[in-house]
Amino acid sequence: MASSSNSLICIIILLITSFKHVYGCYESIISFGDSLADTGNLIRLSKSNKIVASSVLPYGETFFHHPTGRFSDGRLVIDFIAEGMGFPLVPPYVGVMKNMSSSKNSIRGVNFAVAGTTAVDISYLEKRGIKNPATNVSLGTQLEWFKQMLPILCDSPTSCKEYLENSLFLMGEIGGNDYNHPFSQGKSGEEVKSLVPAVISAIGQGINELIELGAQTLIVPGNLPIGCSASYLTIFKDSNKKDYDNSTGCINWLNEFAEYHNQLLQQEIHKLREIHPHANIIYADYYNAAMQIYKSPKNFGFTSTIVACCGGGGVYNYDSKRPCGSPSSNYCDTPSSYVSWDGVHLTEAAYKLIAKGLLQGPYTIPQMNYGLYNKGISDQ
């Protein structure tokens, strides 16, 4: 797929350590991940008799006005990245494969993310007594899908080399479910912490595999501050008062856990940069991009941070037995003033701010300045 056949979207990557700029021009966005990035794969993969929350209102009602399979009231970080760089919204892999009548030259990206996905293979968790109730898809599965689809996206070694070099790869967010599942199933903090090295290794192997295939620019997000999540705040609602941050209401040790994951992830990225000095591996600091909101919500127009907009009641409006979208759930009038959408995922308004923090700085390492041909993030 020659670059002359498509208009290129460009960003500038500021390499902090050398004070140089690297210019990246992209023909497509390729995404992997879980429900923070899923734009409609899980609902297409699920059996007809299994209702997925994101397939019913009020999911999708803010921007799309109907459910799309996104686990939010509207757009996700990947949508804002695509929009901000002038791309169309990235379609889900399963939807693309079911509609291959369109010309492959019109495919400007594919999203392989599936809600519930883990970084490690499901067998690794099952051996440790951990179940994945959402899907049997892992990061490895998504990478296999991509490799199987590559001949559709490009049809010769030369065109595939150009396609991979001219694609922007989003590796996640991935890894959150490797911890969500065991925490929700009663595993201790120490047990879950022991999983982190394997999770980081799986992410690192995925990044390495993509680079060896020919990928040159990859954005790798870290974990969000899970101690501020309504679901975790509900699970650990009997925590000691000293466990909470007085200013945010978040649980400190859970946020420290997320920071531990992010620290090891950045160490892994550093190793991969040394192995592949030609590749641009960009760490996306979801944690601090979100924490700025939790620390100063009024500065960003939020009135509620840790209580879910849509849920089944309780202190944090979260009940796993009465999830958002169920007949007995309730729904706030102004999602844009809430950070938490359904207790697990964030609102479109929160995702938009995180995306701005990535594209406009300062929450990527190295920093991204996407000012060459960008169309900006819509205020819609």
Side-chain angles (χ1 to χ4, degrees), residues 241-305:
K241 286 186 178 181
K242 65 180 177 62
D243 291 336
Y244 294 86
D245 182 279
N246 291 332
S247 63
T248 63
C250 305
I251 297 177
N252 288 321
W253 71 267
L254 284 166
N255 281 350
E256 289 166 2
F257 177 92
E259 289 186 290
Y260 173 66
H261 166 96
N262 294 341
Q263 179 185 9
L264 293 194
L265 179 60
Q266 290 180 78
Q267 291 173 3
E268 182 72 11
I269 289 172
H270 179 72
K271 292 176 186 176
L272 289 165
R273 285 174 181 148
E274 292 185 333
I275 296 169
H276 304 287
H278 66 284
N280 298 313
I281 310 174
I282 304 163
Y283 174 68
D285 189 358
Y286 276 26
Y287 183 94
N288 284 303
M291 277 308 297
Q292 64 170 336
I293 306 172
Y294 291 112
K295 289 178 178 179
S296 305
K298 291 182 180 178
N299 291 351
F300 302 98
F302 293 100
T303 59
S304 177
T305 55

Side-chain angles (χ1 to χ4, degrees), residues 103-292:
S103 169
K104 65 181 180 183
N105 289 328
S106 67
I107 301 175
R108 300 297 305 280
V110 184
N111 187 359
F112 296 90
V114 179
T117 291
T118 53
V120 301
D121 189 79
I122 188 63
S123 62
Y124 178 89
L125 296 176
E126 288 177 341
K127 288 177 182 176
R128 288 155 180 79
I130 301 162
K131 298 179 180 178
N132 186 338
T135 180
N136 60 0
V137 173
S138 67
L139 177 58
T141 309
Q142 294 180 25
L143 290 167
E144 285 302 313
W145 289 344
F146 172 64
K147 288 186 286 186
Q148 291 167 12
M149 191 178 186
L150 199 54
I152 298 171
L153 300 171
C154 52
D155 53 15
S156 71
T158 300
S159 66
C160 284
K161 181 177 184 295
E162 291 181 359
Y163 182 84
L164 291 163
E165 288 177 352
N166 294 327
S167 294
L168 179 64
F169 288 82
L170 303 181
M171 181 56 82
E173 186 271 346
I174 190 73
N177 288 316
D178 297 72
Y179 315 131
N180 294 340
H181 297 322
F183 269 130
S184 66
Q185 292 165 30
K187 300 296 183 182
S188 69
E190 286 303 311
E191 285 180 283
V192 182
K193 190 174 183 179
S194 70
L195 302 174
V196 178
V199 172
I200 299 301
S201 177
I203 297 171
Q205 288 173 22
I207 296 169
N208 188 70
E209 187 171 351
L210 288 171
I211 293 173
E212 290 187 342
L213 282 172
Q216 289 207 354
T217 304
L218 305 94
I219 298 177
V220 185
N223 267 2
L224 288 165
I226 61 174
C228 303
S229 167
S231 60
Y232 276 104
L233 286 164
T234 300
I235 293 171
F236 296 102
K237 64 180 182 298
D238 296 325
S239 296
N240 193 299
K241 286 186 178 181
K242 65 180 177 62
D243 291 336
Y244 294 86
D245 182 279
N246 291 332
S247 63
T248 63
C250 305
I251 297 177
N252 288 321
W253 71 267
L254 284 166
N255 281 350
E256 289 166 2
F257 177 92
E259 289 186 290
Y260 173 66
H261 166 96
N262 294 341
Q263 179 185 9
L264 293 194
L265 179 60
Q266 290 180 78
Q267 291 173 3
E268 182 72 11
I269 289 172
H270 179 72
K271 292 176 186 176
L272 289 165
R273 285 174 181 148
E274 292 185 333
I275 296 169
H276 304 287
H278 66 284
N280 298 313
I281 310 174
I282 304 163
Y283 174 68
D285 189 358
Y286 276 26
Y287 183 94
N288 284 303
M291 277 308 297
Q292 64 170 336

Side-chain angles (χ1 to χ4, degrees), residues 38 40-47 52 54 69 71 113-116 134-135:
D38 187 350
N41 281 313
L42 184 64
I43 61 170
R44 290 170 171 84
L45 289 169
S46 297
K47 296 178 181 179
V52 177
S54 63
F71 284 78
V114 179
T135 180

